Amino acid sequence: MQKNIMVELGNRSYPIYIGPDLIYKGYIYTPYISGDKVLIVTNKLIAYYYLERLKNQLREFDVYELILQEGESTKHIATVEKIWSILLIYKFNRSSTIIALGGGVIGDISGFAAASYQRGITFIQMPTTLLAQVDSSVGGKTGVNHFLGKNMIGAFWQPSLVIIDTQTLNTLSHRDISAGIAEVIKYGLIHDIAFFNWLEINMQHIRALNLYELNYIILKSCTIKSKIISEDETEKGKRALLNFGHTFGHAIENDQGYGNWLHGEAISVGMIMSAKISHARGIISDADINRIYDIIISAGLPIYPPLGMMTNKFIYIMRIDKKVLYGNKLRVILLKKIGNAIIDVNISENLLYNLIKNNI
Ligand code: NAD
Ligand code: GLY
């Protein structure tokens, strides 16, 4: 039942373990803990379900915990300062370890604290949401939001290990399951039509948390992402494809106030918008567009931007997004067809404005 994948990054390579009840299996992860001090960062809800289980496996270490408030608004530099303070007060040193027990919010904040404390300490990801298990725990993007832009402050800092306990998804809300599925659909759209076809057929099994299908999508997503990361760790090229739909999605999250739209929900609308722009540019078929709408609807995800969000707001926020600017040009990820994405740097701001205006 238990599987593992390696993220190949030379002497910074690390394994991803996937399987049920892995939190109970300390013998898998304790060898990756460096030093004798461990800080577990989590939030109230996740602590209620899973913190004791984890602590029970760490009896040989000097364990500290930080239990944060839930939600995207916690992904703020003030929270990182709180982590730094704990690390300093309790004299964590360069050989100490941070464990992130939670979703993408906890993972991104903790990873950034690990990257920046004493110029970098050991970091272990234990993702507990589907979104974090298929995407954010892998690849080393860490950071926080700024009121001017999503994920604008951050660092690349790879974990030493990712432990994906699939059993934790049993306590996750349906809304958060759907949000995670958005990133899974993304992998099919940008990279793998056979996987997309499979997702179309099996969507209801996934949403019902059927173990076989869940394991399969996590394994498949982590495999695709690991391969891309190994080829382009710091997004000089191919990794940008993983941002398909994200530029529009980030604009929605920022416009609506962090946390009001879930990340996966905003990304779904972003993927629809990117697909429609690809269509308007004449590079994707009607049939593919219809399939994209259908799969996003069948995953229980939104297809329309928030009511009243204006075109110029998209453009304004997009211009701040670090991923969008490419010299003077805008960089957008488009689809040639399902399973094949491209990076387009030949799109002017005016053209993009008109495309968005006519397509939302
Ligand atoms: P999240 O971390 O806010 O978690 C969603 C909700 O699920 C929270 O309320 C949390 O308390 C709850 N939760 C977590 N695990 C649970 C469990 N097992 N049972 C019950 N409830 C549980 O959101 P998310 O969707 O996991 O992550 C979104 C964040 O990830 C965004 O900030 C996004 O920018 C970031 N992200 C980062 C990357 C990356 O590469 N670093 C990639 C994609 C997304
Ligand atoms: N989620 C996009 C990336 O990791 O590059």
Side-chain angles (χ1 to χ4, degrees), residues 135 141 186 225 235 239 242-243:
D135 189 354
K141 278 190 182 173
K186 176 189 78 179
K225 184 158 183 184
E235 206 169 297
R239 183 167 183 168
L242 292 171
N243 301 328

Side-chain angles (χ1 to χ4, degrees), residues 205-262:
H205 297 296
I206 299 166
R207 293 187 70 190
L209 299 187
N210 185 322
L211 214 57
Y212 172 80
E213 281 78 9
L214 264 188
N215 268 294
Y216 181 69
I217 59 169
I218 296 168
L219 187 66
K220 188 84 186 167
S221 301
C222 289
T223 304
I224 295 173
K225 184 158 183 184
S226 306
K227 194 165 175 297
I228 294 175
I229 300 305
S230 301
E231 288 171 28
D232 177 24
E233 183 185 4
T234 54
E235 206 169 297
K236 301 283 185 290
K238 194 173 182 187
R239 183 167 183 168
L241 298 178
L242 292 171
N243 301 328
F244 177 65
H246 281 54
T247 302
F248 299 115
H250 285 171
I252 293 173
E253 286 181 87
N254 177 290
D255 180 70
Q256 296 297 295
Y258 297 124
N260 291 320
W261 273 56
L262 299 183

